[in-house]
């Protein structure tokens, strides 16, 4: 009796379910899911047109510039000589790996290395990096059309890492030189070169920054601090190749990368083309670079420096010392009345906000020309006229002064601590002065023997290297003893600023340091 009602009930449920599906389908309640969806429509020509135009621009740049890009192969024969590129140099992390391909082993086999360059004249002048061809015994240039030439080095400039070479040819393809002053952060750029033996490689990116300093990349006193930073992929072998804007104009020479491995990590650097062109013109006309200099050691302004100088905005260039070190009176700036601690805020009416800007302005002049500079001197503005000079000849570093491994430990003798500045000082020990061959001027100062990690002098002064020789602010005073220093420091209140003239034994240079008392 019971199985028949159950059967009728089951049949009724099935019929109801089928009717429900038919009803829902009629009302479109069961539309297709993701697995059932159709392929989206193809983008219209109008939608993709901006990308097509960008692609066409990159294609046009590559077609126009690549024929004038060259691969450079160098040979260096072993001999006992130090490298003129990296001698005694301390470089930012990873950058030294970029140059390691150019090192010269001490054996009988020649070392082969590669780089890039670009042709700037139909009769064979080629711009590249100094570190690509420095110390090379043979330079071979290869073109996109597979022609090969032996090149001669016309001239090199280690301070800018620019070199000019030439091949004996005519009617060569050339690049168009642009103006890096018009480059803006965010603009498209293309890097072309021969990375990792992959000749005539084109990569794209943007201008990531301008006026970038690379610290000790170039171990010269007048090295540039005005690089163009880009994220266009640059690797070993790209050195010397062009950085090109969207108009197909060269705005820089690819020179270095910042990387922990020595290979591309998103940070590449190029020498501004206006600077490279000046170097090229000088090498062709004079056989050397005639570079105008003020004869000063400089740093960007810190907030403390700006406050002491009386600069409302944190901008300008601080004068830390004069060059040449062994004869400061030969410095054009010092002869004009510039003093250590001055902050340069303008040159010939052009605002100076940082070191790269000052270098860019000064390099538009030639030695012997006069420039008007505005400086802020502890609250007072002064305008001085400087007759620009030429860089003094490089002098060999004092090995005894810079080789810390050979020094004996400094013995404490009358050491005094100043918690307000977070330092301990003492008179310069005789044995220390002898080991480092200090001149009498620096022997009379106070040697910093300890720097507290929690004090204001941390990262500003160095233990057993910094010698305090003068207080510049809040009062000028020669420091000849701990008692001299005590009289100045004892009057400081928490938050007060003090500016010191310091001689650094390791760097063999003076500098001004502004500290805020704690």
């Amino acid at each position: 009796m019971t199985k028949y009602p159950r059967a009728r009930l089951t049949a009724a449920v099935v019929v109801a379910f089928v009717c429900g599906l038919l009803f829902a389908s009629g009302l479109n309640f069961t539309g297709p899911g993701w697995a059932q969806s159709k392929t989206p429509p193809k983008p219209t020509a109008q939608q993709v047109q901006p990308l097509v135009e960008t692609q066409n621009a990159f294609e046009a740049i590559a077609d126009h510039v690549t024929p004038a890009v060259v691969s450079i192969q160098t040979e260096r024969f072993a001999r006992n000589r130090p490298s003129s590129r990296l001698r005694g140099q301390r470089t930012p992390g990873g950058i030294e790996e970029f140059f390691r391909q150019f090192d010269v082993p001490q054996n009988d086999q020649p070392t082969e290395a590669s780089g890039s360059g670009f042709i700037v004249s139909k009769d064979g002048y080629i711009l590249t990096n100094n570190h690509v061809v420095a110390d090379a015994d043979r330079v071979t240039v290869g073109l996109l059309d597979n022609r090969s030439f032996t090149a001669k080095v016309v001239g090199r400039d280690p301070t800018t890492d620019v070199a000019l070479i030439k091949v004996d040819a005519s009617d060569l393809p050339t690049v168009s030189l642009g103006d890096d002053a018009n480059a803006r952060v965010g603009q498209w750029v293309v890097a072309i070169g021969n990375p990792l033996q992959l000749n005539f490689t084109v990569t794209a990116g943007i201008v990531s920054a301008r006026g970038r300093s690379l610290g000790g990349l170039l171990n010269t006193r007048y090295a540039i601090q005005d690089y163009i930073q880009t994220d266009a992929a640059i690797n070993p072998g790209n050195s010397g190749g062009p950085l090109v804007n969207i108009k197909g104009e060269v705005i820089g020479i690819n020179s270095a990368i910042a990387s922990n491995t020595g290979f591309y990590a998103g940070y590449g650097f190029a020498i501004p083309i206006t600077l490279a062109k000046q170097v090229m013109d000088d090498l062709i006309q004079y056989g050397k670079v005639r570079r105008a200099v003020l004869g000063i050691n400089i740093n960007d302004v810190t907030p403390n420096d700006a406050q002491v100088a009386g600069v409302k905005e944190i901008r300008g260039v601080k004068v830390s010392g004069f060059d040449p070190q062994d004869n400061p009176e030969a410095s054009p700036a010092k002869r004009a009345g510039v003093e250590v601690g001055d902050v340069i805020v303008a040159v010939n009416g052009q605002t100076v906000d940082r070191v790269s800007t000052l270098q860019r302005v000064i390099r538009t002049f030639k030695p012997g020309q006069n420039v008007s500079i505005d400086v802020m001197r502890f609250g007072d503005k002064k305008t001085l006229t400087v007759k620009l000079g030429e860089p003094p000849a490089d002098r060999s570093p004092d090995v005894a002064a810079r080789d810390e491994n050979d020094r004996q430990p400094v013995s404490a003798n009358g050491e005094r601590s100043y918690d307000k500045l977070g330092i301990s000082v003492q008179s310069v020990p005789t044995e220390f002065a002898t080991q480092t061959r200090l001149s009498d001027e620096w022997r009379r100062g106070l040697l910093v023997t300890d720097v507290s990690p929690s004090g204001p002098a941390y990262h500003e002064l160095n233990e057993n290297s910094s010698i305090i020789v003068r207080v510049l602010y809040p009062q000028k005073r020669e420091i000849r003893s701990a008692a001299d220093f005590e009289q100045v420091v004892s009057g400081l209140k928490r938050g007060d600023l003090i500016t010191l003239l310091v001689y650094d034994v390791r760097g063999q240079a003076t500098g001004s340091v502004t500290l805020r008392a704690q």
Side-chain angles (χ1 to χ4, degrees):
M1 294 290 294
T2 59
K3 65 179 180 178
Y4 293 109
R6 288 177 179 174
R8 287 197 293 269
L9 178 62
T10 301
V13 170
V14 171
V15 170
F17 178 73
V18 172
C19 291
L21 286 177
L22 292 174
F23 176 74
S25 177
L27 295 179
N28 198 29
F29 287 168
T30 57
W34 285 108
Q36 300 167 298
S37 63
K38 298 179 179 179
T39 302
K42 181 181 179 181
T44 66
Q46 184 177 4
Q47 288 173 323
V48 301
Q49 187 59 32
L51 294 178
V52 172
E53 292 175 354
T54 301
Q55 173 181 287
N56 291 340
F58 285 131
E59 291 175 357
I61 293 169
D63 290 342
H64 170 67
V65 179
T66 302
V69 176
V70 302
S71 67
I72 298 177
Q73 304 295 323
T74 64
E75 290 181 283
R76 297 178 176 92
F77 301 104
R79 59 177 67 93
N80 292 322
R81 62 182 180 189
S83 170
S84 64
R85 297 171 304 285
L86 305 173
R87 190 182 299 121
Q89 179 174 321
R90 300 176 67 182
T91 59
I95 286 182
E96 67 276 2
E97 296 291 337
F98 190 65
F99 294 111
R100 191 161 291 166
Q101 62 179 315
F102 300 106
D103 287 347
V104 181
Q106 304 304 311
N107 54 44
D108 294 332
Q109 297 298 319
T111 296
E112 296 181 353
S114 63
S116 305
F118 50 94
I119 306 170
V120 293
S121 70
K122 290 184 176 295
D123 60 347
Y125 281 106
I126 298 169
L127 277 173
T128 185
N129 284 144
N130 172 68
H131 74 259
V132 169
V133 298
D135 298 334
D137 295 295
R138 182 179 296 126
V139 179
T140 304
V141 168
L143 274 62
L144 181 65
D145 61 10
N146 294 322
R147 284 186 292 171
S148 179
F149 301 91
T150 298
K152 68 175 182 178
V153 177
V154 176
R156 303 184 292 107
D157 181 31
T159 66
T160 58
D161 195 28
V162 174
L164 182 68
I165 63 177
K166 191 176 187 305
V167 297
D168 187 11
S170 60
D171 199 27
L172 294 174
T174 63
V175 297
S176 302
L177 301 184
D179 185 357
D180 55 86
N182 295 325
R184 296 292 180 267
V185 174
Q187 288 183 346
W188 282 108
V189 287
V190 171
I192 306 177
N194 307 285
L196 308 174
Q197 304 298 321
L198 301 171
N199 286 352
F200 307 105
T201 295
V202 179
T203 58
I206 62 170
V207 174
S208 303
R210 295 182 60 209
R212 187 68 80 194
S213 170
L214 296 188
L217 178 61
L218 300 176
N219 189 32
T220 63
R221 288 167 293 158
Y222 290 95
I224 64 166
Q225 299 184 48
D226 190 20
Y227 286 88
I228 300 169
Q229 181 181 331
T230 179
D231 66 347
I234 296 174
N235 274 295
N238 270 117
S239 252
L243 185 70
V244 184
N245 65 17
I246 203 69
K247 298 178 182 178
E249 301 167 336
V250 177
I251 62 169
I253 302 178
N254 299 319
S255 184
I257 57 175
S259 166
N260 291 326
T261 64
F263 295 95
Y264 175 69
Y267 309 99
F269 304 93
I271 302 161
I273 194 61
T274 51
L275 173 59
K277 187 177 184 305
Q278 290 173 357
V279 172
M280 176 183 70
D281 292 342
D282 278 356
L283 291 174
I284 293 175
Q285 184 173 355
Y286 306 109
K288 65 175 183 177
V289 177
R290 298 187 68 237
R291 188 176 180 186
V293 299
L294 290 166
I296 52 178
N297 300 324
I298 51 180
N299 300 101
D300 286 327
V301 166
T302 67
N304 287 346
D305 295 329
Q307 183 175 337
V308 167
V311 180
K312 294 181 180 180
E313 299 176 353
I314 304 172
R315 62 177 181 83
V317 174
K318 180 178 65 174
V319 178
S320 298
F322 299 103
D323 206 56
Q325 289 284 334
D326 52 0
N327 183 20
E329 298 303 323
S331 163
K334 184 172 178 59
R335 289 199 302 265
V338 176
E339 296 182 2
V340 172
D342 286 353
V343 172
I344 300 174
V345 294
V347 175
N348 278 11
Q350 299 183 60
T351 299
V352 171
D353 59 347
R354 64 185 69 183
V355 168
S356 60
T357 304
L358 177 62
Q359 289 185 328
R360 194 178 308 125
V361 172
I362 293 300
R363 72 181 184 229
T364 62
F365 297 91
K366 291 296 183 183
Q369 291 184 301
N370 291 328
V371 295
S372 174
I373 65 172
D374 295 334
V375 303
M376 293 297 297
R377 183 176 298 166
F378 303 115
D380 296 328
K381 184 177 181 179
K382 298 184 180 297
T383 300
L384 306 168
T385 300
V386 181
K387 184 177 181 179
L388 298 172
E390 292 192 70
D394 280 332
R395 58 185 191 281
S396 299
D398 188 336
V399 175
R402 62 182 175 86
D403 192 350
E404 299 179 63
N405 295 328
D406 293 338
R407 295 188 204 161
Q408 297 299 317
V410 176
S411 57
N413 183 17
E415 185 178 76
R416 299 184 66 169
S417 298
Y418 298 92
D419 293 338
K420 293 179 180 180
L421 305 180
I423 60 174
S424 297
V425 300
Q426 70 174 53
S427 298
V428 178
T430 302
E431 64 273 19
F432 179 85
T434 301
Q435 291 175 21
T436 56
R437 301 181 184 178
L438 286 178
S439 67
D440 291 342
E441 183 178 6
W442 316 131
R443 290 180 185 226
R444 291 192 292 265
L446 294 178
L447 177 67
V448 176
T449 55
D450 185 67
V451 179
S452 170
S454 60
Y458 192 60
H459 290 316
E460 299 290 342
L461 299 176
N462 300 306
E463 297 176 2
N464 300 324
S465 179
S466 296
I467 298 177
I468 300 171
V469 295
R470 189 177 307 144
V471 174
L472 302 176
Y473 180 88
Q475 54 182 285
K476 287 188 176 182
R477 186 184 185 109
E478 298 292 326
I479 300 301
R480 296 291 179 253
S481 67
D484 293 337
F485 199 50
E486 173 68 30
Q487 289 184 16
V488 178
V489 177
S490 62
L492 296 177
K493 299 182 179 64
R494 184 181 181 86
D496 286 349
L497 295 172
I498 181 173
T499 302
L500 309 173
L501 177 65
V502 178
Y503 178 75
D504 182 69
V505 175
R506 288 182 298 187
Q508 295 182 273
T510 58
S512 63
V513 175
T514 299
L515 307 175
R516 188 180 297 274
Q518 63 182 9

